Amino acid sequence: MSTYAFGFVISKLQISNQVKMLESHTMPTINIWNNNLPSVVLVDIQNKLNVAHTTIQNYFSTPLPSSKVDVVAIPDLPSVRYVSTWGILILRESEILKSGVFTIARELIYQWIGLWITPYWWTDANVNKALISFLASEIVFEINGGLEFNGKYPMTILYSLYYELSKRYPHSRITGMKHESMTFKIELIIRMIKLTIGGETFKIGIQRLITDFKFLSYNGSDLWNALSKQAKEDNVLDSALSILDIAESWLKLGRLPLITINRDYNSGTANIQQKVYLRERPHDVPDQENMLWWIPIVLSRQDTLSLFNYYPYIWMNKTNNIRISNMPSRNMFVIANPEEVGPFPVNYDEQNWNMLSIFLRTEIERESISVYTRAKLLHDAWNLAYAGELNFATALNMTLFLKNERNHVVWNPVFTFIDQIGRRLEMSSVHRKFELYIIELLAPLYDSLGPENINEDIWKTDLRELTKRFLCRSGYLPCIQASQRAFKVWVNSSNPNHENPVPNEYICPVFKWGSMKEWMFGLERISQFPKLRLQSDRTFLLKMLAGCPAQREKIYHLLELAILKNISFFSDNDKILIINMVTTRSIGYTTLLDFLSINWAYVHQKFQNTSLWVKLITSATGMFSTQEGYDMAKTFYDKHNGQFGSAQHLIERSLRNIKDEVRWSEQNLPVIEQWIDNFLTHTQKTNA
């Protein structure tokens, strides 16, 4: 036994004697140590443990060599995973009280993989964590069909990886984030291998790993070799291929690939190219031409949608280009990497994108493409356009089917897109047109969701809240009116400092579209905020006051109070929060730049040697993306050159970055504006 697997617990917790597991020679006794939880709650926990343990044991086809497992539910345990030891599951009480089984499954699997078979060294810990997390997700799908994931697995971790690993400087040198994203990436690699070799082969491969290494230590290559050996025995992997080689091509590179498929419609062939996926500009990552992966080319074709399987059409070796044949006829599309089999986006030629867009607008045909694939097509199109790999008109065409789309999984990535693009357009003449486009996009969805229902699914509640928030932000008149009615109740309440009856989603529209008087009412609540109230409520209100206004005078007044007048009710953390929130919108960072220009002497003298100085300079100059914005930042720089101190190199970097963003704007804004003009004209004619 590894000393790493040994542990003990000393506590005043009580053991549950009221609920007993079914006696079984293959099932250990499971004790629940708890802080006097009600018996009805303990019965529910015991049932979840029983179901999870039985499902996991059946999956591994191997019982734990332990007569008992003690589950220790600690009320105030810090949020640290995998502190459990051999025969002891150590969990935070709130985690074990959740309705789902993911956390319980994860900690139980850790008994098999992590404690019974142990990672050889800390360098193998990420593989171990990723394997446990993936298997726990598989168990959840087996127990309840993945209901507790609310359609967000694996998309949430996948989208976060797409954004992080396509940055010019991933992780910003934050070690903890780097480790977490590495674990996520390995989990998605494991998922890719499972899908391409088949669930049964994968399961037997994991059973082989446990059998071969029980009471021993293993390293990452042992996992890949066990899966490879089983896949070849089952004839689902070519004898010339190695899962170890495939996995290592992904593990050794801190990026993700982009696949581009250009079809030759005359010859029925297609050229497939791989390169590094870079979303942020400039695309000047060193050595990118040598970054190559083993990539499974899984294809779904319009003429055989109902016969789809995950078996790769071909494995793309670590090579830049391959050519494949036997494509469908010229009037039928292909979809590569459906269901996000592997963690990589896919681009197509314009004709294939257009066929997909038209197909998705027909309800019966749209439903023949799975929800995860529909979400992927949307996500890829928008992000590839943002990265400069796809024309924005083509990407916007892919949103036209959303008029009739009602599945929350498909809608999940949409709100991120419209938020990001909306921020990019704020300083341009296109912005108000883009808001009208958002209203046309979201209003039918909001109407279809109907009024709130206490018994409705959580996905419906979440989707309604998101839709309402973005409609309000875009100036949807019914939302603004409802916001002002709710806000008026607060204004007229007898004790506004001790209660806030306004729903959170209605606060921002009032501060954005409402009067100065309404905004000042919110500011007064900050100055008079009772100490006994939740400070998180104060933080939320301050965020809305700083981040929502569309009028310069509101923002300038707030900056005067926080920076110039140094009002006592604003702490140093408040000032940082105000600057962060103000600069989320163009009206905010342009006002901040004006504020610094007008009050330069005072701000320079008071803050140059403080931690706030760099934050002020970079926030005021780092967000511009148009030529007008560049000119403003450059004028500010020229006027005060040599006085920026520790922020000198940062403002110079900002100016270089703005030039790249200006090129993006000049290339894309005319395309976006023309598309939206055509869309709004067509919509008006249709409505008329």
Side-chain angles (χ1 to χ4, degrees):
M1 171 183 202
S2 167
T3 54
Y4 166 78
F6 172 72
F8 59 90
V9 174
I10 301 172
S11 80
K12 294 180 180 179
L13 299 173
Q14 308 298 311
I15 188 170
S16 167
N17 294 317
Q18 298 171 327
V19 186
K20 296 292 182 184
M21 300 285 284
L22 295 173
E23 293 294 328
S24 169
H25 68 281
T26 62
M27 179 79 77
T29 300
I30 299 183
N31 303 313
I32 304 174
W33 296 82
N34 65 95
N35 191 27
N36 294 315
L37 292 171
S39 59
V40 65
V41 172
L42 290 169
V43 169
D44 180 59
I45 294 171
Q46 196 86 56
N47 286 337
K48 287 192 293 185
L49 285 163
N50 191 9
V51 170
H53 188 281
T54 302
T55 307
I56 294 165
Q57 184 170 283
N58 290 340
Y59 188 95
F60 292 149
S61 192
T62 307
L64 283 171
S66 178
S67 60
K68 72 180 178 75
V69 173
D70 289 292
V71 180
V72 185
I74 301 177
D76 298 315
L77 181 73
S79 182
V80 180
R81 295 181 187 176
Y82 312 116
V83 292
S84 298
T85 57
W86 180 248
I88 307 176
L89 266 63
I90 302 174
L91 295 157
R92 196 197 309 178
E93 184 182 82
S94 59
E95 290 287 335
I96 205 169
L97 291 175
K98 289 180 179 178
S99 58
V101 295
F102 176 79
T103 301
I104 288 173
R106 186 185 66 204
E107 295 298 327
L108 279 170
I109 291 168
Y110 185 51
Q111 295 292 311
W112 274 269
I113 301 175
L115 296 174
W116 192 14
I117 72 167
T118 310
Y120 179 74
W121 193 238
W122 297 106
T123 49
D124 300 302
N126 280 338
V127 172
N128 198 78
K129 288 179 182 179
L131 179 58
I132 292 169
S133 182
F134 175 71
L135 291 172
S137 302
E138 292 286 286
I139 294 302
V140 168
F141 278 106
E142 196 165 324
I143 291 173
N144 60 32
L147 193 63
E148 66 189 82
F149 293 142
N150 199 21
K152 294 180 180 178
Y153 182 87
M155 299 309 182
T156 302
I157 62 173
L158 179 64
Y159 293 161
S160 69
L161 269 190
Y162 277 163
Y163 291 124
E164 190 61 42
L165 298 186
S166 63
K167 289 179 178 178
R168 195 180 183 195
Y169 304 107
H171 314 300
S172 302
R173 297 178 294 280
I174 300 173
T175 305
M177 184 186 293
K178 188 173 183 178
H179 283 309
E180 184 179 53
S181 96
M182 185 62 175
T183 303
F184 286 161
K185 183 179 173 183
I186 298 170
E187 182 174 347
L188 292 169
I189 295 167
I190 294 170
R191 177 178 178 268
M192 177 179 76
I193 299 300
K194 180 255 182 178
L195 290 174
T196 52
I197 67 175
E200 191 63 25
T201 295
F202 178 83
K203 181 166 70 174
I204 298 171
I206 297 299
Q207 292 171 2
R208 180 195 291 266
L209 179 74
I210 294 172
T211 301
D212 290 349
F213 291 94
K214 59 188 179 184
F215 300 111
L216 301 172
S217 57
Y218 81 102
N219 57 43
S221 60
D222 294 321
L223 165 65
W224 310 121
N225 287 331
L227 294 172
S228 198
K229 189 173 182 179
Q230 191 60 48
K232 289 177 181 178
E233 285 183 12
D234 293 348
N235 294 317
V236 293
L237 184 71
D238 190 285
S239 59
L241 300 181
S242 160
I243 290 178
L244 175 61
D245 291 342
I246 292 167
E248 285 189 341
S249 75
W250 293 79
L251 295 173
K252 290 179 179 179
L253 297 175
R255 298 284 181 176
L256 295 174
L258 162 64
I259 288 294
T260 301
I261 298 180
N262 283 300
R263 294 173 60 185
D264 184 329
Y265 293 91
N266 293 322
S267 65
T269 61
N271 184 68
I272 304 180
Q273 177 196 39
Q274 66 160 299
K275 66 176 184 178
V276 179
Y277 173 50
L278 297 171
R279 190 171 178 272
E280 280 190 2
R281 289 155 303 281
H283 297 175
D284 58 355
V285 173
D287 204 34
Q288 57 181 288
E289 63 279 356
N290 295 321
M291 296 185 187
L292 297 167
W293 294 258
W294 277 89
I295 301 173
I297 305 301
V298 178
L299 290 177
S300 179
R301 302 159 48 119
Q302 185 174 345
D303 53 354
T304 56
L305 282 175
S306 60
L307 303 176
F308 166 70
N309 64 65
Y310 294 109
Y311 191 73
Y313 183 91
I314 191 172
W315 277 93
M316 190 174 189
N317 195 348
K318 292 167 66 176
T319 184
N320 293 103
N321 290 276
I322 60 171
R323 181 166 287 276
I324 60 173
S325 56
N326 195 30
M327 289 288 97
S329 62
R330 65 172 58 247
N331 61 342
M332 292 191 175
F333 60 75
V334 296
I335 300 173
N337 199 29
E339 305 267 318
E340 299 280 13
V341 170
F344 57 91
V346 181
N347 200 0
Y348 306 94
D349 56 81
E350 188 174 350
Q351 185 172 336
N352 199 79
W353 276 118
N354 288 338
M355 286 190 287
L356 283 165
S357 174
I358 293 167
F359 187 86
L360 287 167
R361 285 176 238 169
T362 306
E363 187 159 358
I364 296 174
E365 293 178 330
R366 181 176 67 253
E367 294 296 326
S368 64
I369 298 177
S370 74
V371 293
Y372 287 111
T373 302
R374 302 205 297 270
K376 175 180 178 53
L377 290 169
L378 263 180
H379 189 269
D380 284 0
W382 275 70
N383 281 287
L384 291 170
Y386 193 91
E389 299 286 350
L390 182 66
N391 186 289
F392 248 106
T394 303
L396 287 163
N397 281 338
M398 289 298 293
T399 68
L400 294 174
F401 79 90
L402 290 171
K403 180 179 180 181
N404 299 307
E405 179 63 68
R406 296 296 175 262
N407 191 286
H408 66 289
V409 174
V410 183
W411 276 98
N412 276 340
V414 174
F415 298 99
T416 303
F417 309 152
I418 58 180
D419 180 56
Q420 290 177 339
I421 301 300
R423 292 181 194 279
R424 289 301 308 261
L425 302 179
E426 272 193 319
M427 281 194 72
S428 72
S429 60
V430 191
H431 187 243
R432 184 53 195 154
K433 295 177 182 179
F434 187 72
E435 288 182 326
L436 294 173
Y437 159 72
I438 291 171
I439 291 171
E440 290 292 338
L441 196 68
L442 297 183
L445 173 65
Y446 185 66
D447 291 341
S448 72
L449 290 169
E452 293 180 30
N453 185 328
I454 194 169
N455 296 316
E456 69 186 10
D457 293 331
I458 184 96
W459 69 261
K460 196 169 188 178
T461 305
D462 291 346
L463 185 57
R464 183 187 296 105
E465 184 179 327
L466 271 172
T467 307
K468 185 190 294 185
R469 188 190 312 161
F470 277 84
L471 280 170
C472 290
R473 187 190 296 180
S474 300
Y476 186 50
L477 188 58
C479 180
I480 295 172
Q481 292 170 337
S483 302
Q484 289 179 319
R485 285 195 297 270
F487 198 82
K488 193 173 182 180
V489 173
W490 190 18
V491 171
N492 293 331
S493 63
S494 57
N495 197 346
N497 290 333
H498 291 272
E499 60 176 350
N500 176 5
V502 186
N504 283 349
E505 64 267 25
Y506 285 156
I507 297 285
C508 192
V510 173
F511 291 162
K512 179 177 182 179
W513 304 101
S515 66
M516 187 70 175
K517 183 179 179 181
E518 289 169 319
W519 184 83
M520 287 295 294
F521 174 84
L523 188 60
E524 286 171 11
R525 305 289 70 76
I526 292 290
S527 66
Q528 301 170 19
F529 200 86
K531 291 183 178 179
L532 295 178
R533 276 189 65 186
L534 283 174
Q535 287 305 296
S536 58
D537 290 344
R538 180 185 181 276
T539 300
F540 175 78
L541 187 59
L542 185 55
K543 282 183 174 182
M544 297 299 100
L545 282 163
C548 294
Q551 300 82 19
R552 182 181 183 278
E553 58 269 25
K554 295 176 184 176
I555 298 167
Y556 200 93
H557 183 63
L558 187 61
L559 291 171
E560 277 187 322
L561 293 177
I563 307 299
L564 289 188
K565 298 182 180 178
N566 201 23
I567 298 297
S568 60
F569 58 77
F570 285 139
S571 66
D572 287 344
N573 286 336
D574 286 340
K575 292 171 185 176
I576 293 172
L577 177 68
I578 288 168
I579 294 168
N580 285 338
M581 292 306 299
V582 158
T583 51
T584 57
R585 305 189 62 233
S586 65
I587 186 66
Y589 53 77
T590 52
T591 302
L592 177 60
L593 185 60
D594 286 344
F595 174 83
L596 292 181
S597 298
I598 294 168
N599 301 286
W600 176 258
Y602 175 84
V603 173
H604 182 264
Q605 183 270 327
K606 185 171 178 61
F607 293 104
Q608 186 183 14
N609 297 316
T610 71
S611 58
L612 200 62
W613 177 248
V614 168
K615 168 65 71 175
L616 283 167
I617 300 302
T618 55
S619 297
T621 60
M623 302 297 291
F624 292 101
S625 60
T626 63
Q627 185 61 48
E628 179 188 359
Y630 176 82
D631 293 341
M632 291 170 63
K634 185 66 164 61
T635 300
F636 177 71
Y637 171 78
D638 290 341
K639 185 176 181 181
H640 303 292
N641 190 12
Q643 301 177 50
F644 294 107
S646 57
Q648 182 79 24
H649 71 289
L650 295 172
I651 188 172
E652 289 170 355
R653 188 175 72 183
S654 291
L655 289 169
R656 291 194 298 271
N657 290 342
I658 295 170
K659 282 188 175 181
D660 290 316
E661 298 304 315
V662 169
R663 282 192 285 272
W664 186 96
S665 297
E666 290 174 348
Q667 178 183 345
N668 292 298
L669 292 192
V671 177
I672 294 171
E673 183 166 26
Q674 184 178 356
W675 188 93
I676 293 176
D677 284 342
N678 293 338
F679 171 80
L680 294 175
T681 300
H682 176 75
T683 302
Q684 289 166 1
K685 287 180 180 177
T686 304
N687 292 342

